Amino acid sequence: MSAIKTPPSNKLFTIGLVSAWYSSNIGVLLLNKYLLSNYGFKYPIFLTMCHMSSCAFLSYIAIAWMKMVPLQTIRSRLQLVKISGLSLIFCASVVSGNISLRFLPVSFNQAIGATTPFFTAVFAYLLTWKKETWLTYITLIPVVTGVVIASGGEPSFHLFGFIMCVGATAARALKTVVQGILLSSEGEKLNSMNLLLYMAPIAVILLLPVTMYMEKNVVGITIALARQDFGIVWLLILNSSLAYFVNLTNFLVTKHTSALTLQVLGNAKGAVAVVVSILIFKNPVSVTGMAGYTLTVIGVILYGEVKKRSAK
């Protein structure tokens, strides 16, 4: 009996979707780095607010106008409070990540970001007392060891940038765990597109006073920069749009591919981002640093395999 073949049109659609996912993820990362470090636009909180404004606007268009996914409404004040709490953690993660890019190369940033499974396991245990299998915890050893090795061999190591990047990674893991706790009931579950629709405007409200206090006159400075070089406006628009498309393509890739495919593609994406960033920014790398990053990626792959088998 012959195997059922995937129609060529479906294959092309999936390839296009994955390409868009990679392009938006790597593109926003590299543009963040370029703006905050190379271009000299030293306002990571304002940049994050631009991202969230774009996510709020484009999410509304995608859901309310284009009907890409059905609109899910907030059913209670308690659910709104829960989403606001998630939005706060989300803000902390994105802002910390953007701040870290001012001081760290993308390659090292990605190495630290790969430790997300470690922080997820820690927070899952601390907040829900959820214990993993002993084999799962063993796979986390190379994940953490790799980053320790990479830190020791990183020519562009910066302590504050490192702390911010670890904080961003921890906050990202915390959001995943807290989201599972807060929005666990069937009536409160939201798909990622609807969750972004509600989280993004709340994030803008949270970030506005912080931006005004910590990055005084940033709007005036941006306008002055635009008068000298209007390209900054197009860069901010492109960067903010890509921030939304990261979430959109992630949702679509999750919907149209298997969990295994998503896992493999996710692991490869970090490695591609590292290679592309080194080629573009030409930041110095060491054999020790790359060995550490490789060890972390191997640990993440093993962690994914063990989690998949234990779920069966």
Side-chain angles (χ1 to χ4, degrees), residues 21 25 192 245-255 262:
W21 184 46
N25 270 270
S192 60
F245 284 109
V246 165
N247 292 280
L248 175 63
T249 53
N250 189 65
F251 171 78
L252 292 173
V253 168
T254 305
K255 184 179 177 182
L262 191 69

Side-chain angles (χ1 to χ4, degrees), residues 158-231:
H158 189 286
L159 182 59
F160 180 69
F162 176 76
I163 292 168
M164 284 292 101
C165 196
V166 170
T169 306
R172 191 159 55 243
L174 179 63
K175 177 187 167 288
T176 302
V177 175
V178 171
Q179 185 174 325
I181 298 168
L182 296 183
L183 303 179
S184 57
S185 67
E186 284 301 318
E188 290 185 332
K189 278 184 181 175
L190 298 171
N191 63 47
S192 60
M193 295 299 293
N194 275 274
L195 186 59
L196 184 66
L197 173 69
Y198 295 117
M199 281 203 312
I202 294 169
V204 174
I205 294 166
L206 291 171
L207 288 168
L208 185 60
V210 180
T211 304
M212 292 171 68
Y213 178 74
M214 297 188 70
E215 296 177 345
K216 291 180 178 67
N217 199 30
V218 64
V219 176
I221 292 166
T222 306
I223 292 169
L225 278 171
R227 284 173 181 159
Q228 295 171 15
D229 175 19
F230 197 75

